[in-house]
Amino acid sequence: MSTTSLPTPAHAAELRSALLAAGFTADGLLDLLGAPAYAALARSETVPALRATRAGGDGPLASLVRLFLLQQPVPYAHAERALPVEAALADGWLRRDGDELRATVDVRPYGGPDGEDWFIVSDLGCAVGGAGGIGSREEGVVLGVGGASTTLAGITVRTPVGSALDVGTGSGIQALHAAQHATRVTATDVNPRALEFTRLTLALSGAQQAELLTGSLFEPVGAATYDLIVSNPPFVISPGARLTYRDGGMGGDDLCRTLVQQAGDRLNPGGYAQFLGNWQHVEGEDWRDRLRSWVPRGCDAWIVQRDVQDVTQYAELWLRDAGDHRTDPAEYARRYEEWLDEFEARGTKSVGFGWITLRRTDAAEPSIVIEEWPHTVEQPLGDAVLAHFARQDYLREHDDAALLEAHFVLAAEVVQEQVGAPGAEDPEHVVLRQSRGMMRATKVDTVGAGFAGVCDGSLSAGRILDAIAQLMQEDAVMLRDRTPEAIRMLVEQGFLEPVARPAQ
């Protein structure tokens, strides 16, 4: 594990003020670099950004980009125009290299959900948009912002809570988000360096400090319970625990299973636990049954599989992530064989990736929804998560007879598409499509399309079906009998929203 000393946050407030004054923000970077160079930097391609900073001359913003994102030396005089250099040197953010200065850590501007200007501090070269990508690193390297961390931040429920726990905090991204709506934040990590980076991230972002505890999974917090638990764990299914940031040290997907199973006892009533994870698709086993067995008693669950890779794709992805493809070909082949041997021994044919959300409930029959949705979604989805569980509550409380007495409206973001041959009198089928949130689409029959189209809250579902039966010359009783299942599906997926019954 790396033993490199890290900066202290003694003058973090002064440093933050200087960064903001220089325009070292997410918006400021885009303005300086331009969209193509900004996008290239996110791919760890630094040449366009270097050209842009040269065009920016020796101004404060260009100097800060070269220092903290591109890992380039900057003359002392140039850095002095952008930063309180002596304080930054004393605290360890910079080091001298002759007449030039170099950064000791990556500092990446990060825009908060409400326009906040935050900064994520990580190991050199390990922020997305840093120089050189991740590649081959020491065991205890601490990463910055990546696609997984922003995904988790986007799906997390953001209601005000008394307590929040970030398990495996890394550089503190989830703890930083939680600090905006939780009275008390606790962050844990098995890597002590990660906790120090979290301290720096929070301080440089002007956020409240968290309680920082060293240890694996829930071990550091004992029996404490929380209103919100989040984790972007080291979920990679790998042969051994080689890199702390990705390899959990347990066999197969046991780390994710353990995290999910133990979360239930750490949640307060009504509390949420939200994770990213990988899971094995094992020969002869339905992956949904595997995940269903993970859900702890007393919890509702919504699990969404976003992607599946066969074992060769998966091994190649993580071998490249560690820079193993740049090593000796024989060494690369040996490591590749190790991954395939591990999968073969476990009967793993592919690996799924997705989101897991738990909610503590006292319902006699918890709701467990496990689905595959690899299509585009609109982040942030925290409100969509809340709405999903609210709909599960509603459907639990309403049997088929109650649904027929209920009133519904078509959700505002839903549009109807008719699909068929050009010039045909009737469409082959009708599709309802959401333009927000999960952006679902579902086929409906003529009855379903007609029902959804007239749901404005004024008539009960049963009365609408009676009218449709009369128009289509169908038996109204039979239509009432067969339609509640379709209504239930449209409510569950968010196409229809229940409304209060109009006053008589």
Side-chain angles (χ1 to χ4, degrees):
M1 183 173 294
S2 174
T3 57
T4 305
S5 60
L6 298 180
T8 71
H11 296 88
E14 185 180 355
L15 184 59
R16 171 178 170 79
S17 295
L19 296 177
L20 295 177
F24 190 60
T25 64
D27 289 342
L29 287 184
L30 184 59
D31 289 342
L32 174 70
L33 302 179
Y38 189 78
L41 191 58
R43 300 190 300 269
S44 298
E45 295 291 347
T46 60
V47 172
L50 282 167
R51 289 170 61 89
T53 60
R54 285 199 296 268
D58 56 5
L61 180 55
S63 295
L64 292 173
V65 172
R66 286 196 288 269
L67 269 174
F68 290 116
L69 289 184
L70 302 178
Q71 297 173 33
Q72 299 295 307
V74 169
Y76 187 105
H78 295 178
E80 198 173 30
R81 298 171 193 160
L83 292 168
V85 167
E86 290 306 315
L89 284 167
D91 287 355
W93 297 90
L94 303 175
R95 64 177 176 84
R96 288 184 182 273
D97 186 5
D99 293 331
E100 297 179 319
L101 300 176
R102 289 183 177 271
T104 60
V105 290
D106 264 308
V107 176
R108 179 185 189 251
Y110 179 65
D114 295 316
E116 301 95 340
D117 289 314
W118 293 337
F119 300 97
I120 309 300
V121 188
S122 63
D123 270 312
L124 282 171
C126 293
V128 171
I134 296 168
S136 182
R137 301 291 177 186
E138 297 178 71
E139 176 192 348
V141 70
V142 177
L143 304 188
V145 182
S149 52
T150 55
T151 293
L152 179 58
I155 67 172
T156 299
V157 170
R158 295 299 175 195
T159 54
V161 294
S163 57
L165 171 65
D166 178 12
V167 179
T169 187
S171 55
I173 299 151
Q174 309 308 323
L176 176 58
H177 279 276
Q180 311 310 305
H181 62 104
T183 303
R184 176 173 57 87
V185 178
T186 300
T188 71
D189 205 290
V190 71
N191 181 359
R193 292 184 75 250
L195 298 176
E196 292 307 308
F197 274 113
T198 294
R199 191 189 312 278
L200 295 173
T201 289
L202 295 172
L204 200 58
S205 298
Q208 64 164 312
Q209 278 299 324
E211 178 187 29
L212 304 175
L213 303 174
T214 305
S216 178
L217 299 181
F218 296 105
E219 180 247 344
V221 302
T225 57
Y226 299 87
D227 301 313
L228 174 67
I229 299 172
V230 292
S231 182
N232 176 20
F235 52 66
V236 177
I237 300 171
S238 58
R242 180 175 159 218
L243 298 172
T244 302
Y245 75 85
R246 70 170 198 194
D247 306 320
M250 297 185 186
D253 52 18
D254 283 355
L255 183 134
C256 287
R257 175 185 57 80
T258 302
L259 180 65
V260 173
Q261 289 180 335
Q262 292 183 356
D265 291 336
R266 272 69 178 194
L267 283 175
N268 292 327
Y272 285 87
Q274 299 187 264
F275 314 115
L276 301 186
N278 276 180
W279 41 82
Q280 298 170 126
H281 286 222
V282 177
E283 195 72 41
E285 175 187 77
D286 188 320
W287 65 272
R288 293 174 180 83
D289 291 339
R290 185 181 194 86
L291 289 173
R292 190 171 286 108
S293 73
W294 292 7
V295 178
R297 295 182 61 182
C299 286
D300 294 325
W302 184 22
I303 302 175
V304 183
Q305 180 167 273
R306 294 287 290 155
D307 190 22
V308 180
Q309 291 185 317
D310 67 49
V311 293
T312 60
Q313 292 173 311
Y314 189 81
E316 291 162 12
L317 169 67
W318 293 108
L319 286 167
R320 288 181 176 274
D321 174 79
D324 291 322
H325 61 300
R326 294 194 291 268
T327 63
D328 175 69
E331 178 67 11
Y332 175 78
R334 184 187 68 79
R335 292 191 185 277
Y336 202 149
E337 289 273 8
E338 286 180 350
W339 284 71
L340 297 185
D341 287 345
E342 175 79 7
F343 288 132
E344 184 176 349
R346 295 182 176 277
T348 304
K349 58 183 179 179
S350 55
V351 177
F353 166 82
W355 319 326
I356 299 174
T357 299
L358 306 176
R359 182 184 64 165
R360 191 73 186 176
T361 181
D362 59 3
E365 296 185 12
S367 163
I368 300 177
V369 176
I370 302 173
E371 61 176 321
E372 186 165 18
W373 188 253
H375 311 293
T376 300
V377 299
E378 183 189 52
Q379 287 273 35
L381 282 169
D383 288 344
V385 172
L386 286 172
H388 167 88
F389 287 99
R391 294 193 296 267
Q392 298 304 313
D393 289 341
Y394 177 86
L395 292 172
R396 262 197 297 244
E397 297 163 0
H398 289 73
D399 60 15
D400 287 355
L403 284 181
L404 292 175
E405 291 298 317
H407 294 240
F408 300 95
V409 295
L410 191 66
E413 71 275 8
V414 174
V415 297
Q416 178 177 298
E417 301 173 357
Q418 295 187 351
V419 181
E425 183 175 345
D426 296 312
E428 294 176 11
H429 59 262
V430 176
V431 174
L432 299 180
R433 187 180 303 278
Q434 299 168 352
S435 58
R436 304 292 300 274
M438 291 294 288
M439 301 180 73
R440 298 184 187 275
T442 187
K443 289 182 182 179
V444 290
D445 60 14
T446 303
V447 173
F451 180 87
V454 298
C455 277
D456 61 2
S458 61
L459 297 175
S460 69
R463 290 187 63 186
I464 293 174
L465 291 176
D466 291 343
I468 291 174
Q470 185 174 5
L471 285 171
M472 299 181 66
Q473 298 182 340
E474 289 199 29
D475 184 284
V477 174
M478 293 183 64
L479 190 60
R480 277 175 170 254
D481 284 344
R482 75 169 192 260
T483 306
E485 182 179 354
I487 296 174
R488 192 171 293 275
M489 181 275 291
L490 291 174
V491 172
E492 182 176 19
Q493 296 193 357
F495 291 96
L496 292 179
E497 297 175 350
V499 295
R501 187 172 304 181
Q504 301 297 321

